[in-house]
Amino acid sequence: METQSQLLMKEKTTKTTRMSGSEAVIQSLLREGTSIIFGYPGGAIMPIYDALHDHQKELHHVLTRHEQGALHAAEGYAKVTGKVGVCFATSGPGATNTVTGLANAMMDSTPVVLITGQVVSSLLGTDAFQETDVVGVTQPVTKWNYQVRRAEDIPAAIARAFYIARSGRPGPVVIDITKDAQINQLDFYYEPVKSIRSYTPEYPADLAQIEEAARLINLSKKPLALVGQGVIIGNAEKELLDFLEKSGIPAAWTLLGLSAVPSDHPLNVGMLGMHGNYGPNIKTNEADLIVAIGMRFDDRVTGDLSRYATNAKIIHMEIDPAEINKNVHADVPILGNVKKTLPLLTEKIVKNDHSDWLKEFEACQRVEYNRIIEKQLNPIEKGITMGEVVAKVSQAFDNDAIMVTDVGQHQMMGARYFKFKQSRSVVTSGGLGTMGFGLPAAMGAKLGAPDRQVCVFVGDGGLQMTIQELGTIYQTQIPVKIVLLNNNFLGMVRQWQELFFDKRYASTELINPDFQTIAKGYHIPSLKVSERQDLDEAIQKMVEADGPFLLEVIVEKEGNVFPMVPAGASVSDIRLE
């Protein structure tokens, strides 16, 4: 009688198919449900591209104009779909061009699998043409990476890559495949990975900690929930709302947690952090309890740690044990996926109402509106403000578009003035703050959510870092709406120079090209607006355009983003001007 292992081996043998390593790459991706690949071909990955040529109906390849653009596009796709973004790059400079995107994905917990070609294994370590130690270069900015030198190892490596990229706290993974491994033959058999020894992506909830957290919540008079991206990654938006509505706790969100709670929800009190709202920042130090849900206490949220949440007990709900007590001591740590831990906590808490506490946030919002928001949305000055453009664009899309941003002042204005009705509506670079992220990320977002409007806000500085991706938009006909907020400055750096360096504007003023001519060169319709009376009509034309569209708005040259918590200051020291 055959043993179980013999039966499994027999089954595996009957299911194998003889093929090349490059074909095995394609077949592995198809078995993981991949439908879109972003990439740029080259010599060391040419066999994989040759195999891809036979699968154009199953796999849509988007030819970006730079490998960094491919990574950011894969990030945008992953963020709006919750799936793993996939990209290809060749060896040497092709692989090194992806490092910024990998670092960005690592900081923002975005699941991406990058497959790079490599020189033949016999030339490894010889400084062959376009050889780079991809594993060594990318190790600090990936969740896992691995070099494949044998064709028969390809399926298992890719299966492991996808599992690691999307499980637990997601992140980027690199598989570097030598050219001979791509060419040589193997007996293909694919088995998805469901677990890896010594790798624990999620921890079971500690019920005693749940009980203690519920006790603190039930006793609290001034609790504040801090909502991070972990809620979105874990698809825990409903569980979050159930918890908030039963507990009555006001909720503030991090930049990456934006859209987890609808903008108009009565318990949504605004954004935390350096350019967040007045109320959630100053009330952090008045709260007697902080419930951190899927966030990591980034320095942009906490300010001076020695003066952060000084009166509060801390409940920290987090999937990654490395984040517990890393920056802020947790009185009650709750490890696990918040989709699983939140319902356990909700069950234990009593129905509560914190309307008096909530009114304090409303009072802060009135102060902020009178001092800041009113001037942004209804400015008396001649110059168009970034805030009014963002708000008008949001309204033109019925407050239900996906907002993508680059990095800078427009990013903070987008976070403050764009409104949302549903989750996964924000794609932005949080932890790394990558200028050039916006345009390629918008391409990936639109391809991932073709039925939703996608609008990307870019500055004149960041746009020029990846402006070549207009070529990808033209060739692929990706109907993204691009709003260029042009102030002829590296605006955020200029703001810091104004406030902290005596207005010594060192290397921040830009002499820009004619962006309308550039758009015309890529056959992308565009409009340029410099007068307020032309803004509404131009926005409407952009919204109604069937394909891609560039709207350039000349905004006030020295506008600033307020409120602002100066670097190293306490959140209580937030400045309104």
Side-chain angles (χ1 to χ4, degrees), residues 170-208:
V173 170
V174 172
I175 301 296
D176 189 47
I177 307 177
T178 61
K179 196 168 185 179
D180 50 319
Q182 298 172 45
I183 294 170
N184 291 339
Q185 298 283 305
L186 74 152
D187 292 317
F188 177 79
Y189 174 81
Y190 196 81
E191 184 175 358
V193 170
K194 297 180 180 178
S195 65
I196 297 173
R197 190 176 62 180
S198 78
Y199 169 56
T200 307
E202 291 185 24
Y203 291 81
D206 184 330
L207 297 182

Side-chain angles (χ1 to χ4, degrees), residues 127-149:
D127 292 332
F129 178 66
Q130 290 193 333
E131 181 195 359
T132 300
D133 179 5
V134 173
V135 171
V137 168
T138 63
Q139 189 171 28
V141 292
T142 52
K143 192 176 175 184
W144 182 65
N145 64 8
Y146 184 72
Q147 186 176 80
V148 177
R149 302 183 185 184

Side-chain angles (χ1 to χ4, degrees), residues 97-108:
N97 280 345
T98 67
V99 171
T100 297
L102 291 170
N104 195 85
M106 188 69 175
M107 289 285 279
D108 287 354

Side-chain angles (χ1 to χ4, degrees), residues 447-507:
L447 291 171
D451 296 332
R452 296 191 66 191
Q453 288 279 16
V454 174
C455 179
V456 55
F457 292 96
V458 293
D460 44 312
L463 174 61
Q464 293 182 79
M465 289 192 171
T466 51
I467 197 169
Q468 67 272 12
E469 298 306 335
L470 291 173
T472 309
I473 290 171
Y474 168 55
Q475 180 171 342
T476 314
Q477 282 300 294
I478 307 172
V480 295
K481 312 304 181 188
I482 307 160
V483 180
L484 166 59
L485 300 176
N486 186 353
N487 58 8
N488 291 101
F489 264 118
L490 299 176
M492 190 60 85
V493 182
R494 185 214 57 77
Q495 177 170 334
W496 280 54
Q497 289 173 336
E498 176 187 338
L499 298 176
F500 308 117
F501 292 88
D502 299 322
K503 294 189 176 182
R504 290 163 60 86
Y505 295 158
S507 302

Side-chain angles (χ1 to χ4, degrees), residues 414-435:
R416 288 178 54 78
Y417 297 108
F418 212 85
K419 304 301 178 187
F420 309 94
K421 294 180 180 178
Q422 57 182 303
S423 187
R424 294 194 182 274
S425 292
V426 178
V427 178
T428 193
S429 171
L432 197 63
T434 304
M435 291 180 68

Side-chain angles (χ1 to χ4, degrees), residues 160 167 169 190 223 417 459:
R160 178 171 284 219
S167 60
R169 181 179 182 176
Y190 196 81
Y417 297 108

